[in-house]
Amino acid sequence: MNVSYEPLWKILENKKMKKKDLIEIAKVSENCIANMGNNKFVSMVNIGRICVALGCTPNDVFYFNTIDER
């Protein structure tokens, strides 16, 4: 099962935010955002920080692919 953070990137686009802005307001590392950019799993602690910073839920940030999109 793969993960996709496409919904997060759409949120940032709609809010006219850059990944660097998210790093600052959510207090997550550049490495965390880089992993998300590569659709790798990140900790729920970091997902939680992002959700609090953006006022959303995990369902708004990512979804699981049931088929391999590689």
Side-chain angles (χ1 to χ4, degrees):
M1 186 176 343
N2 298 315
V3 65
S4 174
Y5 297 99
E6 186 62 32
L8 173 60
W9 311 135
K10 289 180 182 177
I11 289 172
L12 293 182
E13 185 178 316
N14 290 340
K15 291 181 178 265
K16 295 182 174 35
M17 291 177 65
K18 297 182 182 205
K19 291 177 182 178
K20 190 169 192 160
D21 299 326
L22 181 59
I23 289 167
E24 291 177 16
I25 65 167
K27 303 209 183 332
V28 295
S29 70
E30 290 179 17
N31 189 46
C32 171
I33 299 302
N35 284 340
M36 294 174 97
N38 291 315
N39 289 326
K40 293 183 179 180
F41 289 96
V42 298
S43 74
M44 288 306 296
V45 169
N46 286 328
I47 298 288
R49 288 177 180 165
I50 289 168
C51 290
V52 168
L54 296 177
C56 63
T57 69
N59 287 335
D60 299 321
V61 172
F62 71 94
Y63 63 87
F64 290 112
N65 296 318
T66 55
I67 56 172
D68 192 357
E69 292 184 347
R70 290 184 240 175

